[in-house]
Amino acid sequence: TWWVQDASSTLPALVLVSSLRDKYGDLSWLNIVDMCAAPGGKTSQLLSAGFASVTAVEANQRRSRRLIENLKRLGFVDDCEVVVQEGQTWYPTRDGKNAPVHGILLDVPCSATGTGARRPDVLRRSPVIKDLLQIQEKLANHCVDTILDVGGIMVYATCSLLKEESELQVEKLIARGKDKNEGRAVMKTLPIHPHEVPGYEGAIDGNGWLRVLPGVLEGHLMSTDGFFV
């Protein structure tokens, strides 16, 4: 059984798996959360990596049905806990107790401007993204403040070309922890290494973040979607 994904959309899960393997070595005892998980491509990648548990959180009821259908088709449905709830209100528990989460993949809802080459309609929509920016920020803050275990790793990703949804959100997330307010997680960047993203080495910026622009990479990757990781 297979799943067709744009090559760029596979990058967030690849980076998370690689970063956790570099940090912990053995993945078999780690608990992972895939936020905004539908339709399930990234969830399936994580389930294939051999983690102890993968929880898929999806706010939209209709999209969650598609997520479950895809997990069933791929034979993963019994290996994954699917939670239908807004990510910014969800807390991980197991047997009534707080459960440690060692890794989070947060591919936030966004303007999807990176997919414009194959979905031109997204480029004709209103550029007003105020509501999306608020959702993105709330999700990111909630994940690092209340879900991610100390020392854990979160990958923040968008299929957007807009810095407001991508680089600037990460900068805000890092900056907010520096004022030492109680309850705010202190975050730092783990640079992406070339070996983690073969073919995309040239898309790693000075921060160690990945900024994929459509039509810039060479060869068959020239047609991939725009993405930020």
Side-chain angles (χ1 to χ4, degrees), residues 18-64:
S18 178
S19 298
L20 289 168
R21 184 175 287 117
D22 287 346
K23 181 178 177 65
Y24 296 106
D26 180 18
L27 304 180
S28 64
W29 62 280
L30 302 179
N31 301 316
I32 308 300
V33 173
D34 184 12
M35 282 284 184
C36 315
K42 298 175 187 67
T43 310
S44 300
Q45 283 180 267
L46 296 173
L47 287 163
S48 300
F51 293 112
S53 72
V54 175
T55 302
V57 181
E58 172 57 49
N60 185 284
Q61 184 74 47
R62 178 182 58 81
R63 286 174 57 82
S64 70

Side-chain angles (χ1 to χ4, degrees), residues 2 13 26 74 78 94 111 120 122 160 171 173 207:
W2 44 265
D26 180 18
L74 295 170
D78 294 331
R94 187 167 289 110
S111 61
V122 304
S160 170
E171 289 175 4
L173 185 63
N207 292 311

Side-chain angles (χ1 to χ4, degrees), residues 8-189:
S8 290
S9 68
T10 67
L11 295 171
L14 289 175
V15 169
L16 181 59
V17 172
S18 178
S19 298
L20 289 168
R21 184 175 287 117
D22 287 346
K23 181 178 177 65
Y24 296 106
D26 180 18
L27 304 180
S28 64
W29 62 280
L30 302 179
N31 301 316
I32 308 300
V33 173
D34 184 12
M35 282 284 184
C36 315
K42 298 175 187 67
T43 310
S44 300
Q45 283 180 267
L46 296 173
L47 287 163
S48 300
F51 293 112
S53 72
V54 175
T55 302
V57 181
E58 172 57 49
N60 185 284
Q61 184 74 47
R62 178 182 58 81
R63 286 174 57 82
S64 70
R65 288 196 291 270
R66 186 180 175 197
L67 166 64
I68 293 170
E69 289 170 0
N70 284 324
L71 292 176
K72 285 181 179 178
R73 180 175 62 83
L74 295 170
F76 284 136
V77 71
D78 294 331
D79 302 319
C80 182
E81 178 185 4
V82 176
V83 178
V84 184
Q85 184 177 335
E86 288 188 346
Q88 56 268 47
T89 67
W90 177 76
Y91 297 88
T93 58
R94 187 167 289 110
D95 299 325
K97 300 179 181 179
N98 291 338
V101 172
H102 305 98
I104 298 175
L105 198 164
L106 178 59
D107 187 356
V108 294
C110 69
S111 61
T113 48
T115 67
R118 57 185 175 85
R119 294 176 54 199
D121 58 298
V122 304
L123 302 178
R124 294 194 291 266
R125 296 174 187 169
S126 169
V128 178
I129 57 172
K130 181 179 178 181
D131 291 345
L132 282 172
L133 293 176
Q134 291 177 347
I135 293 171
Q136 293 160 5
E137 188 170 355
K138 287 180 180 178
L139 279 166
N141 292 346
H142 179 69
C143 282
V144 300
D145 288 344
T146 62
I147 298 178
L148 190 65
D149 205 27
V150 174
I153 296 174
M154 183 176 82
V155 169
Y156 178 95
T158 73
C159 57
S160 170
L161 301 179
L162 305 179
K163 285 190 174 183
E164 295 94 325
E165 298 185 279
S166 309
E167 288 92 340
L168 297 185
Q169 290 285 33
V170 174
E171 289 175 4
K172 284 192 293 184
L173 185 63
I174 293 172
R176 69 188 289 273
K178 292 181 178 180
D179 60 13
K180 301 295 191 293
N181 277 4
E182 186 176 351
R184 289 187 177 183
V186 177
M187 305 297 292
K188 66 177 181 179
T189 292

